[in-house]
Amino acid sequence: MSDFGSRLRELRRAAGLTMEQLAETSGVSARAISDMERGHSRTPQARTLSALAGGLGLAPEELGDLADTVREQRARAAGRPRLCALPRTVGDFVGRASELERLHRHALAGLGQAPVALIHGQPGLGKTALAVRLADQLRDRYPDGLLYLDLRGTDAEPMTPGDALLRLLRALEVGSRRIGETDDERSSQLRAVLGERRCLLVLDNAGSEAQVRPLLPAEGRSLAVVTSRRVLAGLPGVERIALAPLTPDESATLLRAIAAQAADPRAAAGVEAVARLCGQLPLALRIAGTRLATRPAWTVEHLVARLADADRRLANLSTGDLGVAAAFALSHAQLTIPGRELFRRLAHVPGVDFAAPIASVLTGASVDDAADGLDELVDLGLLQQSGPERYRFHDLLRLFAQERLRNEEPAGTRAATARTMGNWLLETAIVAGRWFEPGYGRLPQGWAGLVAPADEEEADAWLQAERASWLGALRAAARDGQHQLVVDVAEAMHWYSDKYVRSDYWYEVYGLSRAAAAKLPDRRQEVTHINYYSWAATHCAGRPDEGAEIAMDAHRVAVELGDVKEQAWALRYAGDAMRNADGMLERAITTYRAALDLFDKAGDHDGYVQTGPGIGRILNRLGRHEEAMDECAATLRELASRPVSARPALSGRVSARCILAAAYAGLGRWADALREAEQALPYAADFGYAGYLGELHLTIGRARVALGRREEARPAFHKVMELLQGSAYRDSVEIARQNLAAL
């Protein structure tokens, strides 16, 4: 029995009180009083001592004597090692303001049930540092103790719940003879003790729900903060804080706090580069900063140079017993064998993010099994979810996966897997792209691919979501000499590319297909892709002079082959380029008219109806609006009389009506301009090109202003700002901005 316990018992008996009576008069539970008298609990905090003194009716001097007894006992206890003490706090802690605010709110939100918070995320995010920071900030709110326990959840043999309970009970000064024999008894004891006290538990590095569940308080004012690489979805009623990497500014602040070289304002660009190469990951940043700080002869640029080598980056992100790769390896070791195969093979994916079908292709598993595998990686913090059913690597984890791939699979297997994945991506891209082609617009008969878009919308969604991946696969196919496959993909994208005319990646796509077609025996195929490359140079890369030169090269080859249709297309693309170049508008009209004659001669009705509006567009720019209206009317007549494929017909109709509406506006016929533009909107929406939609909304906005419907004009101008991005639309956006400012 402790000195304080003996003295408390003497005073209670002298007052003629039972434990239950003292509990009633003081507000301290009878169980707590019993534990204190028998020395099975810690000496009380000041508020508990004051409550006991009041319940005993002690005079001020007697209270002082009792307080002296408590101080003496604490002084003797100070010489003993403390169990479950908090680790040292991080002096240069950076960021996490919103997470700390959420945790503070959660700590205050308990209504009878003790609050529990889970901080989870991939290795190296600083989960432990955040939990310890929170405990330090809340120290005064939890006067009965701050306890920390590393559950070693990533070890080969994590701490058992029984051992964890034993350590916590001992840290809470429950006597060894009173600690229960079974895990259930110990868990009940822990809940009872925490229910009567205000303690904060940091349960670090939890491995599973089963490990941590018996350690959580039930009722009362204690708080448990759990950290884990796993989301621990089986724990109900938990406030989950998913950590992300630091922001670039926070990363730079951390580096400057650690290393003097990084604090030099002249090193700002280098510090930004180091933060980026570390993926804004706190562990990586701390290691990089420490390496810099302990090497005074190094500059930030020296560190950047070392980290820039992707093959050596993880090796350079280690110091002493800390290492990014070592932290990742702990989670990797917990994967199942199929999980390890999936993890390393995902390093093949060219894009930033991916979905279950590509994981299925990489491993040969079903899509459902692949989805389960992706969830396993997410649960262990080795993947991040980037959207519904889409996943991505942190940059450093991708490097780790690449290392595992090189170390665990032979070169032949790696090459075969990469080719299988690339071919699947490109075959699927062809199927999706052909939804937009005249003569296709459907899935191939008997198509049994993992991705089967049911319409243009689904095809577009897949092509956009997987763009980085199929583009990467296209580059790989070009390097591998799969020339016909490269050409087939580019051909399948021909009509789809009109939906995203201003996207610069088409310049690369058609540059690759032009080069591939030149290595194939079919020269007609070659001239087609030279023409496509001209279109991309003019419209996508904004290089009209180059586009005109390429188009005339295509025309030369088409003349050599006697291919009238491709001669017509070459002149059409040359006309587009001249229309966008300086000082060539009249020459562009002449070139377009020559293209029309050749389209007519070749019987290419699709090409014919798409070329006429180009002449009308130039005439509008020259202020010859009535002539432009005649050209558009002629195009609409030809559309009604010629057998034109659906998509080219829609293209010609939308373009002609956009130009016709602009011509009415140029003539000041605002009511006609508004009517024509509003009638054209559904066609433009169906076609899907933002340029046409933006052009029509600009005309609608200007017409409404001119007709005195100023408030109705505002949404149209806002739509222009939303739809038209990039330098190609600078003039239209500026007109919309000026009109909005004047409203």
Side-chain angles (χ1 to χ4, degrees), residues 54 235 346 392 601 614:
L235 292 180
L346 285 170
R392 65 182 297 160
K601 182 179 178 181

Side-chain angles (χ1 to χ4, degrees), residues 431 434 442-448:
V431 168
R434 282 182 172 166
R442 63 188 184 282
L443 287 173
Q445 192 71 28
W447 173 255

Side-chain angles (χ1 to χ4, degrees), residues 557-575:
V557 177
V559 169
E560 289 177 11
L561 297 174
D563 190 327
V564 176
K565 177 180 175 180
E566 290 302 334
Q567 290 175 44
W569 276 109
L571 292 177
R572 153 68 195 276
Y573 290 130

Side-chain angles (χ1 to χ4, degrees), residues 7-145:
R7 182 63 179 147
L8 177 60
R9 176 173 290 180
E10 289 173 5
L11 290 169
R12 176 176 62 78
R13 288 176 173 173
L17 299 174
T18 65
M19 288 185 189
E20 289 73 16
Q21 288 171 330
L22 177 57
E24 186 176 347
T25 58
S26 67
V28 179
S29 73
R31 180 166 183 170
I33 294 169
S34 175
D35 285 347
M36 283 185 274
E37 288 190 0
R38 290 183 294 162
H40 291 165
S41 66
R42 298 182 308 168
T43 53
Q45 299 295 319
R47 58 186 177 78
T48 303
L49 183 61
S50 179
L52 289 169
L56 291 165
L58 297 182
E61 60 274 12
E62 291 177 297
L63 174 60
D65 291 341
L66 190 59
D68 288 341
T69 303
V70 170
R71 282 192 290 271
E72 289 170 6
Q73 186 164 323
R74 284 180 176 165
R76 288 195 300 274
R80 299 197 302 265
R82 290 183 60 196
L83 298 177
C84 298
L86 280 180
R88 180 169 174 260
T89 57
V90 177
D92 48 21
F93 187 91
V94 168
R96 307 302 190 202
S98 62
E99 290 89 347
L100 284 166
E101 182 182 352
R102 277 183 64 190
L103 288 163
H104 277 256
R105 285 201 307 268
H106 184 62
L108 292 171
L111 295 174
Q113 189 168 10
V116 178
L118 170 66
I119 302 169
H120 65 94
Q122 73 174 65
L125 285 171
K127 300 180 289 294
T128 302
L130 175 59
V132 173
R133 178 76 165 187
L134 175 73
D136 193 52
Q137 290 181 343
L138 297 180
R139 183 178 296 276
D140 292 341
R141 191 176 296 162
Y142 295 95
D144 293 329

Side-chain angles (χ1 to χ4, degrees), residues 175 375 419 432 449 456 665:
D375 286 341
R419 191 170 183 118
E456 288 185 8

Side-chain angles (χ1 to χ4, degrees), residues 145-220:
L146 307 178
L147 284 76
Y148 169 89
L149 187 62
D150 182 357
L151 298 175
R152 304 198 308 270
T154 54
D155 286 8
E157 294 184 9
M159 183 180 293
T160 66
D163 284 348
L165 287 163
L166 183 61
R167 289 169 184 257
L168 289 171
L169 288 168
R170 284 176 176 171
L172 289 164
E173 298 186 355
V174 176
S176 299
R177 289 176 296 174
R178 292 188 60 248
I179 295 177
E181 294 294 328
T182 69
D183 288 357
D184 286 345
E185 290 173 350
R186 292 173 180 178
S187 182
S188 295
Q189 282 181 303
L190 181 64
R191 288 194 297 272
V193 173
L194 294 176
E196 295 172 351
R197 303 185 190 178
R198 294 187 65 175
C199 297
L200 191 157
L201 274 63
V202 175
L203 303 173
D204 195 24
N205 194 14
S208 68
E209 295 91 337
Q211 183 193 35
V212 78
R213 191 178 288 116
L215 314 180
L216 300 178
E219 296 182 353

